[in-house]
Amino acid sequence: MGRRKSSRARLCTICGEPMRKNGTTSSGRQRWRCMRCCASSAGDGGNARGAAEFRAFLVWVTGRMTLAQAAAMLGVSPRTFIRRIQWCWHV
């Protein structure tokens, strides 16, 4: 049985999974690694959900995916996807 993920765990900006601590940078900042997609980051995290929503919006609006496929990227229904990305075009 593995360790339980903390509800406060930092989330990956690529896949949205919880990340684990992975040492420090040369300047002393905490480094993080996603165990699912192996992405690494050392920033403050910013708005990971907003970044993922914006990426899904861009893929959808440029015509590479259908609305349903873009919603599936975030793991939500198409109606929820529309509601979540409204900030992207109301800026």
Side-chain angles (χ1 to χ4, degrees):
M1 182 163 65
R3 292 178 57 189
R4 296 179 86 187
K5 303 280 192 278
S6 168
S7 62
R8 297 180 312 169
R10 176 183 217 160
L11 298 179
C12 177
T13 58
I14 306 299
C15 67
E17 291 292 311
M19 298 178 85
R20 289 191 177 169
K21 289 182 177 181
N22 190 36
T24 58
T25 65
S26 59
S27 64
R29 294 182 74 177
Q30 181 67 54
R31 188 183 314 266
W32 298 85
R33 166 120 6 226
C34 176
M35 295 293 109
R36 181 176 177 199
C37 70
C38 296
S40 177
S41 73
D44 64 356
N47 185 351
R49 180 176 150 184
E53 289 170 356
F54 188 63
R55 274 193 303 280
F57 169 73
L58 287 176
V59 169
W60 171 63
V61 81
T62 58
R64 294 188 194 152
M65 289 187 174
T66 66
L67 177 65
Q69 290 170 328
M73 265 178 73
L74 297 175
V76 297
S77 73
R79 292 182 83 177
T80 301
F81 176 69
I82 289 294
R83 199 173 63 247
R84 284 191 180 176
I85 63 167
Q86 284 181 349
W87 67 270
C88 296
W89 65 73
H90 290 292
V91 176

